[in-house]
Amino acid sequence: MTDPKAPVAIWPDIPEPLMPYSPAVKAADWIFVSGQLASDFKTGIAPEAIPANPHLESEQALQSKFVMETLKRTLAAGGADISKDVARIWQWLPWETPTYDDFLNDNSWPDGLSITPYLDTRNEYIFEPRPASTAVSIRALPVRDAHIEIDMIAITDGFEPEGFSPGPEVPMPLAGYSPALRRGDWIFLAGEVPTDWVGDYGEARNMGPESALAKDARVNPHVWYGSEIEAQTDYTLWKLQKIAESAGGSLKRVVKAEVYIGHPNDYAGMDKVWKKWFPDNPPARVVIPYMGLGTRGSKIEIALTLLADDSEIEIETVHTTDAPEPFSHEPQAVKVGNFLFLSQQMACDSNGVLADGMIRHENFPWYGLPGKNQMAYMMKNIASICEAGGTKVENIVRRACFHDEGDHFADSIEEWAKYFPGVKPASTTMKIGGPLVVKGANTMLDLIAYVPD
């Protein structure tokens, strides 16, 4: 008997991608849309997204319009309306700063980057209450001169979206998205940073000349103790708790966390605080380094997906001995209804050390395919986790792929494609421009899979 909720690829009338992924995949009543760029996938950037006179037209605005039109057609082909059905949106913006040295020196600020042309364009397509949002700068996208890549999740469950803000204690963001968006049982929390903005620039509370950090997210620079990453993580989770409560949820019902940090050196401090807020049954989690964050002084941004407190859907932590234990405070995966949310995947063991055979031998630099080998290692573990969660690897519906430098992209994605003879997952790929938390790992995966009833 055919499963009516099973993943289905959506192929609208848009430029066909060069790589083995579907423009979008619909599973149950969720639509997972691949990262879209302003490309015709023939010449590079599409001619209509290139300004005739860059002094008169914004490249970012033209590319944003092209991408939004593509997303609009893609969602319509899946039975969704871009103006009201998007629950979660990601915006990836390549920029030359922060550099690797900037991150090493605790600077995650993309100096000179403005996303106002994009926001103005977005507002023409997506209406309030707008989806929970993350916008970060990264090192590079797979199409030369691309200024933005956007991917999203839309839901066609018949419910109307509800936007929430916790009020003056945690003020509204400046970029026009919803701090919390509820769709039926589900609550999506936008990426939050450790600030206490109120209104425009001049009304920020406790703001020093070089930082917009909240007072409670700082450490005293005149003493030799205190941890900036711990203070910022703690304050950001406090904010998210307040926002979740305003939407009828709590951090006890979080199923997936996305954590964006600057340098990997901040990972351990973040994880220490994470254990305090999630002592038992922590959510699935992915931690992505070298992210340019949109508020000066921030070292971390956190976005959460959770169930409302009044939801009757059960949350199940998934574990198998056929894959390595996570090396930090997250489970292998979390199963919720028809979806399996996997934690970050890298080619490492349970100690966070690269597995054997994953890089070229120093004395044989021409031999071996590290991208292929690392992807095959990860996919073996992913298949075991999927099986333990009641599904199979072919049912993966969304992939976000983060490469260190992108040198091994070709053999990596060729190996990935072997596991999907049918519906190929929606996919977003980017270069972050620095070594991952696991030394020697060239790729990190963030995955969601469909689970049959």
Side-chain angles (χ1 to χ4, degrees), residues 144-207:
R144 188 186 300 276
D145 297 324
H147 290 302
I148 190 167
E149 182 171 19
I150 304 173
D151 61 310
M152 53 180 52
I153 295 173
I155 301 178
T156 58
D157 57 2
F159 289 97
E160 289 296 317
E162 298 177 85
F164 294 88
S165 174
E169 190 175 19
V170 182
M172 285 290 290
L174 302 177
Y177 56 82
S178 301
L181 190 91
R182 180 166 178 175
R183 192 77 184 228
D185 290 302
W186 292 90
I187 299 172
F188 300 85
L189 302 188
E192 287 290 335
V193 290
T195 64
D196 56 0
W197 287 108
V198 186
D200 60 24
Y201 178 83
E203 298 174 2
R205 294 196 302 253
N206 307 313
M207 191 182 76

Side-chain angles (χ1 to χ4, degrees), residues 267-281:
Y267 193 105
M270 175 278 303
D271 199 47
K272 178 181 177 182
V273 176
W274 205 263
K275 293 172 184 176
K276 183 185 79 171
W277 283 91
F278 301 101
D280 303 306
N281 301 315

Side-chain angles (χ1 to χ4, degrees), residues 2-10 22 24-28 30 32 338-339 391-398 420 422-426 448-452:
T2 304
D3 180 0
K5 298 181 181 179
V8 177
I10 298 172
S22 302
V25 174
K26 187 171 186 177
W30 288 31
F32 303 87
N338 286 122
F339 295 106
T391 187
K392 53 187 178 180
V393 74
E394 293 92 331
N395 281 333
I396 292 173
V397 290
R398 179 184 186 268
F420 303 96
V423 175
K424 293 173 173 53
I448 303 174
Y450 166 74
V451 181

Side-chain angles (χ1 to χ4, degrees), residues 226-276:
S227 165
E228 289 186 343
I229 186 59
E230 290 180 31
Q232 291 195 24
T233 303
D234 191 61
Y235 181 81
T236 303
L237 288 170
W238 173 85
K239 283 178 68 176
L240 288 163
Q241 174 182 250
K242 294 297 182 182
I243 296 169
E245 290 171 354
S246 74
S250 67
L251 296 196
K252 294 179 181 179
R253 300 279 279 166
V254 176
V255 300
K256 175 66 180 293
E258 297 153 53
V259 181
Y260 308 89
I261 61 174
H263 197 276
N265 287 342
D266 287 331
Y267 193 105
M270 175 278 303
D271 199 47
K272 178 181 177 182
V273 176
W274 205 263
K275 293 172 184 176
K276 183 185 79 171

Side-chain angles (χ1 to χ4, degrees), residues 59-112:
E59 287 185 275
Q60 188 185 95
L62 285 179
Q63 291 195 21
S64 298
K65 183 176 179 61
F66 185 97
V67 171
M68 280 294 170
E69 285 290 340
T70 301
L71 291 166
K72 180 180 178 180
R73 294 199 297 274
T74 302
L75 288 175
D81 183 343
I82 192 173
S83 69
K84 64 182 182 67
D85 288 331
V86 180
R88 182 76 172 90
I89 186 169
W90 292 264
Q91 296 105 159
W92 313 97
L93 301 114
W95 198 247
E96 59 267 23
T97 60
T99 65
Y100 179 78
D101 286 341
D102 287 335
F103 285 120
L104 190 60
N105 290 299
D106 291 333
N107 180 9
S108 301
W109 173 244
D111 193 23

